Amino acid sequence: MENLKLENFSTGYTNDFIIKSIDLSVKSGEWLGIIGPNGAGKSTLFKCLLGLITTTSGEGSVLGFDIR
């Protein structure tokens, strides 16, 4: 079972993407670390996964639940 799955996941504003085309899959028992410089979109990614920010395109699920 995949605990986290993103396919062609993007979010942002009209013509400016904050996160663009991420494909990611994390299965049960696997670990994931997100690192990057300030302003890279790490916090935005987690806000999208929690449903606090809507996605622009793509699909995603956390523990089998659609993030939309």
Side-chain angles (χ1 to χ4, degrees):
M1 178 181 167
E2 294 173 332
N3 288 337
L4 171 64
K5 186 171 185 177
L6 301 176
E7 293 180 352
N8 197 24
F9 181 81
S10 299
T11 190
Y13 304 104
T14 307
N15 291 323
D16 188 24
F17 287 100
I18 298 170
I19 299 171
K20 187 174 182 181
S21 298
I22 292 179
D23 291 321
L24 178 67
S25 176
V26 181
K27 296 180 181 172
S28 182
E30 293 182 332
W31 287 71
L32 172 69
I34 306 287
I35 60 172
N38 291 343
K42 301 176 299 290
S43 296
T44 302
L45 174 63
F46 285 105
K47 288 177 185 178
C48 289
L49 295 176
L50 293 170
L52 301 174
I53 298 176
T54 58
T55 60
T56 305
S57 64
E59 297 179 6
S61 64
V62 176
L63 296 174
F65 294 99
D66 190 3
I67 61 174
R68 292 184 184 196

